Every structure is written in structure tokens, then in C-alpha cells.
Amino acid sequence: MRPSKRTPDQLRPVQITRHYTKHAEGAVLIECGDTRILCTASLDEKVPPFLRGKGQGWLTAEYGMLPRSTNERMQREAAKGKQSGRTMEIQRLIGRALRSVMDLTKLGERTIQIDCDVIQADGGTRTASITGAFVALHDAVEKLLRQQQIETTPILAYVAAVSVGIYEGVPVLDLDYLEDSRCDTDMNVVMTSDFGLVEMQGTAEGVPFSREDLGAMVDLAQSGIRELIRIQKMALAG
Amino acid sequence: MRPSKRTPDQLRPVQITRHYTKHAEGAVLIECGDTRILCTASLDEKVPPFLRGKGQGWLTAEYGMLPRSTNERMQREAAKGKQSGRTMEIQRLIGRALRSVMDLTKLGERTIQIDCDVIQADGGTRTASITGAFVALHDAVEKLLRQQQIETTPILAYVAAVSVGIYEGVPVLDLDYLEDSRCDTDMNVVMTSDFGLVEMQGTAEGVPFSREDLGAMVDLAQSGIRELIRIQKMALAG
Amino acid sequence: MRPSKRTPDQLRPVQITRHYTKHAEGAVLIECGDTRILCTASLDEKVPPFLRGKGQGWLTAEYGMLPRSTNERMQREAAKGKQSGRTMEIQRLIGRALRSVMDLTKLGERTIQIDCDVIQADGGTRTASITGAFVALHDAVEKLLRQQQIETTPILAYVAAVSVGIYEGVPVLDLDYLEDSRCDTDMNVVMTSDFGLVEMQGTAEGVPFSREDLGAMVDLAQSGIRELIRIQKMALAG
Amino acid sequence: MRPSKRTPDQLRPVQITRHYTKHAEGAVLIECGDTRILCTASLDEKVPPFLRGKGQGWLTAEYGMLPRSTNERMQREAAKGKQSGRTMEIQRLIGRALRSVMDLTKLGERTIQIDCDVIQADGGTRTASITGAFVALHDAVEKLLRQQQIETTPILAYVAAVSVGIYEGVPVLDLDYLEDSRCDTDMNVVMTSDFGLVEMQGTAEGVPFSREDLGAMVDLAQSGIRELIRIQKMALAG
Amino acid sequence: MRPSKRTPDQLRPVQITRHYTKHAEGAVLIECGDTRILCTASLDEKVPPFLRGKGQGWLTAEYGMLPRSTNERMQREAAKGKQSGRTMEIQRLIGRALRSVMDLTKLGERTIQIDCDVIQADGGTRTASITGAFVALHDAVEKLLRQQQIETTPILAYVAAVSVGIYEGVPVLDLDYLEDSRCDTDMNVVMTSDFGLVEMQGTAEGVPFSREDLGAMVDLAQSGIRELIRIQKMALAG
Amino acid sequence: MRPSKRTPDQLRPVQITRHYTKHAEGAVLIECGDTRILCTASLDEKVPPFLRGKGQGWLTAEYGMLPRSTNERMQREAAKGKQSGRTMEIQRLIGRALRSVMDLTKLGERTIQIDCDVIQADGGTRTASITGAFVALHDAVEKLLRQQQIETTPILAYVAAVSVGIYEGVPVLDLDYLEDSRCDTDMNVVMTSDFGLVEMQGTAEGVPFSREDLGAMVDLAQSGIRELIRIQKMALAG
């Protein structure tokens, strides 16, 4: 029995709110259970130096947690003067995941800057960031299309992410904080709407996991991502 | 005529939402027009080294803006590796303002850490931070009282803050971003519920201001702060 | 009775020495009682990126304290690797105060860099920095005029600054360190030669201050600044 | 056909040299083809603050590349003043991988510090670091046993790591730099001697990968790791 | 002929002013020609961690230049966020030079912190820092003796420093900035009152120097240091 | 009797291995006894800003120690976020020493970047770095000549370096770590193949040294450097 009382293959309730703030080209609040993240997509009419003059665009991501998004207050990274290894790892993951469904040559010489800021954390912030940021990215791209700054969308597919794990020997979907901290294995899976695997990161916190566990976890992840993409589509249709 | 169509002495609509997030001892979302700030108060059962063993508590504050809380995306301070002079100035101001209504000897040897994070900015973020953070502080102190960790409240009075300015020669209350950027003078005033002045910071951006301007601005500020404290009380009663 | 034996409206003795060092375009030692600050103005034939090509100049200021300018040695900010919030706040104030009396379009595309370095501190270093730096700025501008690099002076008025406070209930002018540390309220006032208010920053360290206190402090500040500007003029005539 | 002329399931030649330097408790040079990494294990008779008094040990890892270990010189991280996100990600991975085969309660209150420094890079530095560092760790633990500082080994199993990828549609083992840079998918797999999965990190650089690709890659990785652990054992027997 | 018109063995005029500022235990302004440096010695009743409980004291030094002490304004190291290699090299040299004439076991468990801050630079700032700092150190030690905090002086000898060089083929003493920048070799020599060599640092900027040049330079340095120590003694007697 | 059993004028065995790694234009492993340093020379077709358009090249050097190159593990400078004063001092010395034998106008507008990374330390790392880096520099220059990117060599002479010291009253050559740590005086000497002195840095760690000591140490250094240059020539001929 999971602490959350959910069945092994049950996602937490997901809520996606577009236009959550007024300045960004895409601004999405995603809520997965008690995890709440503000994902914005900002357009910048420049590319980084290594891409100048190459006729293509770029997408990059940053991630942060508000100091009291967590149960124990975390030290503010701006005050400490550096981002932790965990933060860097997560923001690199978000960037790679979203770039994997972009044809950057269709974006023109501009950068889309994704910011994922955790308002309240209860597990799964990196995967919720990807799922929410895709919607913000979609809104920003729609704006470029509407303003005829680009002709065809650079977005090749939907992309979403979810965590899976082995909780007391049972593969389970979408771990909350309590489950995550008691879990033997924690795996984050990023998939496209065609069920192409884009990124998998699995870590055995306690007992190593087997090939069978791996298969079961990927099955769960795939069903969860199917549902998350359905929710993304509803939000974008709304 | 103000761009916001407000009369010179009219505040923007103010909304205070308590318990906005679940982890912090005090967690308040304050909205002043389009300015939205999450203010949390966290308890820490330690004091900084310079106060150890002195039998009193401490209160300190940090401030940050989400990168896309503004019209142009601001660089993330955690990524840049340092807080700007403006950020430091504001967080020092918030800390002084709240400490001015605290009897820290009644707090015991613990620290209240205030975090003010701007979700959306439209002028007046430092004054809204103070007004909102007071409510979060009040909730955190109530928790200490309820849990009998302290016996009497260290809070001596209410405190709130508002900006005033000279817009096209006319003193006006509570500047939004558009008004602020076109204003000759911008002054931030912090007052207690007894109309004691706790902090005043006025800057002539263009033409210097006169003694008469100063008087008119303080009058406006006082009426605004009276209203803000009324709203704080309603929120805390709610 | 003030610890310094001065009457409430009495400035400390002020000494302004021009050409105190040989390299800078303006180099002024200002002494206010035991507070001694070296203020230099350096010309740089460039403007910061945000002003390039806009046909106007810029003025910026930095502030520092020698490690043993104070009673307790302060850690060297260069060794610590960052400037404190207090330092940043003060250097931003000095810059705003001096820019308030400059028509930067008359300066051409160049920057005047002000440096205020405290040799010995005994209260009032930020206000003495402004008063001294104005004289250094004036010398640097005179040099530009003499060398016919500009035609008309960009300086619109004199500017000086002084602190005022409430010491044991009595408003007093120009606090030294001992008075400052025992004071209920400390206010820094920056005024032009036309008695236009340029900047006011008042903080109640203990008891909040009233509207009457505010009026009395501004009166004292105005009389002090009149005297300081007289001394600036004498120094520049000398 | 792979650029390296190897068959899809062929490892590069691996050489493990123990006692490569004289100061460290474990000091191993691992060479995988042209990739050369010095892995040291250092004993420190302290644990980090969060473990003090808990009766267990700790293991942590750091990773670095010599500036000219790569084809283009990389900026020295010590001179830049910070470690890149990639560096942090890799050193966190190395630490987790080695801790996964340690019973830290058997280590006593001491820390084993792993350092992996890349002398020459030609792809697969993070996986070679893990494989080499395990041997250095083993030597350091043997020393503790020999000196009777611990009674039973905290090492629960062997652990090694290898990369796999999809190169022109074909799953291949142990990518060198040239293959890695042209590869569609790159996956790093860490496994124990019992074929327990400890860590998997797969990224689709171009086309997403399928469930079938995943299975084929894990098969290849398992065969590679079996061989690597055989080589570790030979080195430790030598 | 030297640009300064001095004979090859002629020092610049040297002026040592004690008690130049009021807070430090030793506070000396040293002027060597146009070079002006404030040297302070501060007492701290602690030693660094590596000496705790060892029954001896420590002396450490820091060095800085005011931004406009030089002809071209130098960027403020506190603003840049780090000290340059040159600064670190110089402050390490000052510390070693002064420690070489100290019996630190006689100092007790306390630290003397030397600060050398260049008010105006015209060559030879590192050697003048040593010569001036010795006098400040002497004053601080005298204070400890007077207050009976130590019984016997930890100072074993006088120490002073001077630069020598090869200017157009001729060995010359005490280079000013103009001479230094045109010089083939620049050597800094630190000697005790017994003519013991404590530190020598010679660099050929252009043509390498010979054994004969070396001998001639050390001769000049010795005569210069004899004179500098005479001046130190006069200042301390004054 | 030296701890190393060597005669006072005896170098440790020296081994120079060229082409030690494959990417750098010059890549030399130098071994002096147990001290082992990898010295690389990298070509960069740019010069730093202060030399742009001046028709000359530049050479700069960086130095680092692997964390466990020493007996006690040193903290990784990249992790600490800054280079120590010692590191900066050494890399500045290496750069000056090599530039002293270069005619940079013959190098064209390009930079040679030297990296000296200590694999194993046993005293004398800074002097071995210079001796080894010269060979790496020579290889990089030969490559430029071979590829006809420059016509004549910018190298004017050979350069090598060695340490000397006073060990128990006796001047000795080439100190290892044990000797260095018990030595009264430690001097590093850099000389060209014409026995021109390029750099001398001598420090009395205990008793000051005399003029006679200085002479004896320079004699020893000269004989050592003659031998080191012979070894450099053999390596380059090999």
C-alpha cells in the first residue's frame, strides 16, 4: 500500500494553468498533487555565441526552488552565490528534454529561455517541470506563429515526463516526496507523444534493480506519460 | 490624470491570501494590483553567531524576483552568482522594517527568516513585501504562541509600507510600474499602526522635491498605510 | 547634552583638501571631525553598454572602507570576494546623489567614476562621501572644460549631504559614531544648493519617529547643508 | 561499420595500473583505449557534519579534466572559479555508483574521498572513472583492513560502468569520442557483479529511442560490464 | 642618467608618520617619493585554526591599492570579487618578511594583522609596505608590552626592503614607476638590521642579468636598507 | 648528510617524456625524482585584448596540483572556487620564465598556453614545471615551423630552473619535499643556456642567509641548470 493510497499506476491529480503571469510569452502553473511549479518561456532575439550566424535557434532552461518550497528551508542559491550540483543537473535535463522535440532550424536565430521555479515541492519537481514547460514553450511558439515571425512550428512532438520507482518491491508511478524518500529505486522518464524515449535516469538508492524491474517501470512511465500528454493537449485546447 | 486612472490617493486593489503554501510557518501571497509576492516566515531554532547566548531572537529577510516576473527577463541571481545591490538594499529594508515592531527578547533564541519572492512585478514590490511579510510573521508568531514555545507575543504593533511619488507635479499614492518609471520622485514609507515613521526613503529621479512635496507625500502615505493595516487585520481575522 | 559637546545644530569641523593625490582628475580629502575620506573622480572616455551611441555621459560611484578605518578591524571585501549589502547601498546612493545635479547630455559619451575610500571612520561616512565627491567631480569637470573637451558644464547645482537624528529625544545634526550608535533615529539627507531634496533616508533604530520629528530633522539638515555648500565653495575658490 | 573498426559488442582495450602514484591510499590509472584517468581514493578520519555521531562513514567523489586532456583546450575550472554543470553531474554520479556497493556502517566514522582526473579524454570518461575508482576504493579499503582499522569490508559487490549507444541505427558498446559525437543515443549504465542495475542514464541526442533499443543497449552493457569486472578482478589479483 | 635625476645609489626622500589614524594599534603612513602607503597593525586575540593550542602567535598581511592610486584607474578588487595574482603575491611577501624577524612563541596566542593600502603609487609599493609595516608592527608590539600582555618583545631584529634594478646597464637603487617600467631587471630585497637576507626576488624583464649584476644590486640594496633602518629607528625614537 | 643521501651538488634523476598525451601541440611528462608533472603547450590563434593588432604573440601559463598529488589531500581549487595565492604566484613565475626566452614578435598574433599539472609532488614542482614546459613549448614551436605558420623560431635560448637551499648549514641542490620542509633557506633560480639569470626567488624560512650563502647557492644552481639543459637537449634530440 502506497503512503498516498494511490494504486501503483495512478498519477497524482494534475492541473495545468496557462497565462498564470502576464509578462512571459508562455507562463504555466503546473500542479501535480502538492507539487506546484511556475514554468515560463521567454523569447530572446539572440542566440548564444557558439550559434551566431548558423541560422538556427536555441532553447535553454533554468531551474530554482523558492527557499521555503520545501519542508526544511533551503538556503537561497542567489545568497550562497552558486547553484548546487542538483540544480545544474535538473536544468540541463529540462533543456535537453525540450530540445529533443524541437527542430531548432525552424526557430530562426532566437533563443527560448525556459524558467522552472518551484513554488511548493512534494516530489517529482524535475519531471513536472518538463511537463509544464512544454506547455509554456508551446504558447511561446504559438505567439511567434501568430505574429508571423516564424512560418512553421519548430515543435515536432509533445513531450512529458514522470517518475517511477520501486516502492517496497512494487513498481509504482509518480512518486510523491514521502514515497520517493523511502523508495529503493527512482527513475525519471521523458517520452514523446510517439512513445519515443528521450531521456531515462534511474538510480538505485538501496537495492539495485533488475532487468524485470526496468521493464515494469518503463511500462508504468509510458502509461503515465500518455495521460500527461492528454492533459497537456486539453490545457492547450482550453 | 494617472495612467492607472486612479485618483491621487487611491491604492490599487489589495488581496492577502494566508496559508498559500503548506510548508512554511507563515505563507502569504500579497497582490497589489498586478504585483504578486509570496512572503514566507520560517522558524529556525538558532540565532546568528553575534547573538548566541544573549537571550534574544533575530529576524532577517531575503528578497528575490523570479526571472520572468518582469517585462524583460532578468538574469537569475543564482546563475549570475551574486545578488545585485538593489536586491541587497531591499532585503535589508524589509528586515529593518519588521524588526522595528518586534521585541526580540520575547522571541527567545530563535530566528525568523522572511523570504519575499516576487512572482509578478508591477511596481511597489519592496513595500508590498513588507506589508505581506508582516502577515506571514504574524502567523509564524501565532504558531509559536499556540505551541507554547513563547508566552507573550514579540509583536509590538502592525507595520505596513507604501510608495508615494510626484507624478506630473501631483503627489500620488501607490505607484504602479508605469507611473514609477515616469515619476519625478519616488518615496517608500514604512509606518506602524500608531503612525510612527519607521523608514522613509525618497529619491528625486528628476527634479528635486520641496518641503511641501515631502509633507504632501507623507500625508498620502499615512492614509494608504491606514488602509493597508485595515486589510492586514481583516486577513488575520479571516 | 551630546557626547560630542556640540549644540544640536552644530556641524563637526569640516576640512576639504583638493589635489590630495596626483593621478586622479579630481582628488579630495574630506575630513568631518575624525571621519576622513579620500574622494576621487576619474574620467573614462567610454560609457557603459546601455548608453552607447545615445550621446550622453554617465557617472557611477564606488565606496570602500580600509580594513582598519574602524575601531574593530573589518574583513577586507576584496579578500572576502564580495561587497557587503551596506557597501552596495552606499555606493548606489552616492551615484544617485551626484547624478541628480548633472545634465549628463552635456558630458558627452564619457563616464566619471567616483571612488570614495574611508581612511578613518567616525560616523557619517556616506554623507561626507557625497559632500567630498562633489568637489572632486567639480575638479574633474573643470579639467574637461579647460581642455575644451566639453563646452558648458554639466553641473546644474551644488549638492551636499548630512546626517541628522533624534538623540535622547532631541533632533541633532551631524552624528558622530558614538551618537549614531545610541540614536533612536538616523536620517541622511541630500540637498542641492537650491534646497531641493534629492534623497532622504531615515530609519528608526529604536522608537519610531513622528511627523514633527521629521520636520525638525529636515530643518536641521537644511541648515547643515547650507554650511557644507559654503565650505565646498570656499574650497573650490581656494 | 564503427569508426573504430570494432564490432558492436567490442570494448576498447582496458588497462588498469594500481599504485600509479605514491601518496594516495588507492591510486589507479585506468586506460580505455585513448581515455586515461587517474583515480585516487583518500582516507579522511572525519565525516561531513550531517553524519557526525551517526556511527557510519561516507564516500564522496570529485571529477576534473586537465585543460588539455581534450582536443580543444578547455578553460581550467579553478581559474574560471567554478565547476561546470557537467562536472558536477559526473562527480555526483561517481559518488552514487560507488556508495551503492558500500555498507557505510562498516566503514566507521571516516570518509573515502574519490578523485577522478582525466589525463587524456577520448569518450567514456565518466564510466571509466567509475570502473577505475572502484579499484582505487578497493585498495583503500584493503589498507584499512590490513591496519585493522575496520574488521569486515564495507564493499558489498564489484561495480563497473560502460557506455552504450545507437550508432547509425545499430546498438554499440563503449563509444569513443568520435562515435559519441555522431551517435543518436548515448546511455551510461552502472552495474554490480550480480548484474544489479545501479544507475542508468540514457539521452537521445537525435532520434528518440524505442523500448527495443533500450533492451538491446542494456544487453550490450551487461556483457561489457561482465568483462570490465573480470579485468578489475585480475588487476586486484595482480 | 636616471629619469629621477638621482645618483645610482640614492634613495627617494622617505617620510614615516606614526599614529596616522586613530583606531589601529599601529598606524603608519610611509612616503617614499610619491609612493604613499598606509600600513596598519591590528591585534586579534585569536590564532588561525592550524595554530590553535600550540602556544604561539601568528602574523598575516593583506595588501590593496586604492582604485585611483595609479595613473590609470584600476578596477576595485572588492567589486571584481577577487584579488589579483599580483596582490596575493605581494601580501604573501609582506607576511613572510615580517614573520622572519618575529619569535612567534613570544607573541602568545594572538594574531597581528598587517594591512598595507596604497594611497598613491609611484613604484616600489611592495618594498615600502614592508618598511612601513615594520614600524606599525613595532608600535603594536610596544602596546602589548606596555599593557603587560607580553613580557618580552617577539621582535628579533629590524627589517626593511628596497628595490634595485639595472637601468640602461647601470645598477640603480629604489626605482620609481618610470624607472621600473623601463628597467631590464627589477629586484626586491628584504634584509634585517644584521644584513641577513630574508627575501630576494629578481626578475629580468628584458635582458637576463649576470652574476656581476647580481652582486652589484645586492650591494646597492644593502646600503639602501641600512639607510631605511636608520629612518625607521628615528621614527620610532620620535 | 642529506635525507636523500645525495651529495650537495647532485640532482635527482630526471626523465623527460615527450608526446605524453595526444591532443596538445606539446605534451611533456617531466619526472624529477618522485615529482611528476604533465606540461602541455597549446596553440591558440588569438591574443589577449591588450595585444590585439600589435603584431606580436603571447605566452601564458597555468599551474595546478591534482588533489592527491600530495601526502595530505589538498582541496580541489575548482571546487573551492578559487586558486590559492601560491598557485597564482607559481603560474605567474612560469609564464615570466618562458617569455624571457621568447621573441614574441616572431610568434605572430597567437598565444601559447602552458599548463603544468602536478601528478605527484615531492618538492620542486615550480622549477620542474619550468624545465618541462620549455620542452613542451619547443615542440609546439616546432609544429608551427613545420606547418610554415611562422618562419623563424621565436625561441632565443633554452631555459631551465632548479631549487637550491641551505640544509643544516650546507648549500644543497634540488631539494626534495623532506629537505625543503627542514631547510633554512629555499631559493628558486631560473637561468638560460647562456647562464643569464632570468628569475631568482629566495626566502629564508628560518635564519636569514648571508652574501656568501647566496653566492654558493647561485653556483650550485648554475651547475644544476647546465645539467638540466643538457637533458632537455637530449630529450629534444630523441
Side-chain angles (χ1 to χ4, degrees), chain E residues 82-86 88-89 92, chain F residues 61 63 77 82-94 96:
Chain E
K82 67 175 183 176
Q83 294 179 297
S84 70
R86 178 185 172 274
M88 293 225 215
E89 199 171 299
R92 283 159 55 88
Chain F
Y63 169 94
E77 290 186 331
K82 66 176 183 173
Q83 295 178 297
S84 70
R86 178 185 172 275
T87 292
M88 293 225 215
E89 199 171 299
I90 292 174
Q91 62 195 17
R92 284 159 55 89
L93 171 67
I94 299 168
R96 284 198 310 270

Side-chain angles (χ1 to χ4, degrees), chain A residues 76-89:
Chain A
R76 188 178 290 267
E77 291 187 332
K80 238 186 337 183
K82 66 176 182 172
Q83 294 179 298
S84 70
R86 178 185 173 276
T87 292
M88 293 225 216
E89 199 171 298

Side-chain angles (χ1 to χ4, degrees), chain E residues 211, chain F residues 2 7-11 162-167 170-175 189 191 213-228:
Chain E
R211 297 289 300 268
Chain F
R2 303 172 68 166
T7 59
D9 63 350
Q10 193 181 349
L11 286 177
V162 79
S163 74
V164 283
I166 309 286
Y167 181 79
V170 181
V172 293
L173 179 66
D174 189 22
L175 309 165
V189 181
M191 269 188 184
D213 295 332
L214 172 61
M217 286 190 287
V218 179
D219 284 342
L220 277 178
Q222 182 164 329
S223 80
I225 286 171
R226 179 186 295 122
E227 174 64 8
L228 288 166

Side-chain angles (χ1 to χ4, degrees), chain D residues 38-113:
Chain D
L38 175 53
C39 308
T40 59
S42 301
L43 294 171
D44 185 5
E45 296 296 310
K46 287 196 304 287
V47 286
F50 71 93
L51 286 178
R52 266 177 219 151
K54 304 221 168 136
Q56 72 157 93
W58 188 239
L59 179 146
T60 182
E62 287 182 1
Y63 169 94
M65 299 183 88
L66 294 197
R68 199 56 197 282
S69 59
T70 47
N71 192 36
E72 302 271 305
R73 183 178 183 273
M74 289 170 51
Q75 211 191 328
R76 188 179 289 268
E77 291 186 332
K80 237 185 341 181
K82 65 175 183 175
Q83 295 179 296
S84 70
R86 179 186 171 275
T87 293
M88 294 226 213
E89 199 171 298
I90 292 174
Q91 63 195 17
R92 284 159 55 88
L93 170 67
I94 299 168
R96 283 197 310 270
L98 296 177
R99 284 194 300 272
S100 78
V101 292
M102 298 279 286
D103 177 347
L104 293 167
T105 59
K106 293 203 177 133
L107 186 58
E109 287 222 355
R110 55 175 61 85
T111 297
I112 297 183
Q113 169 73 48

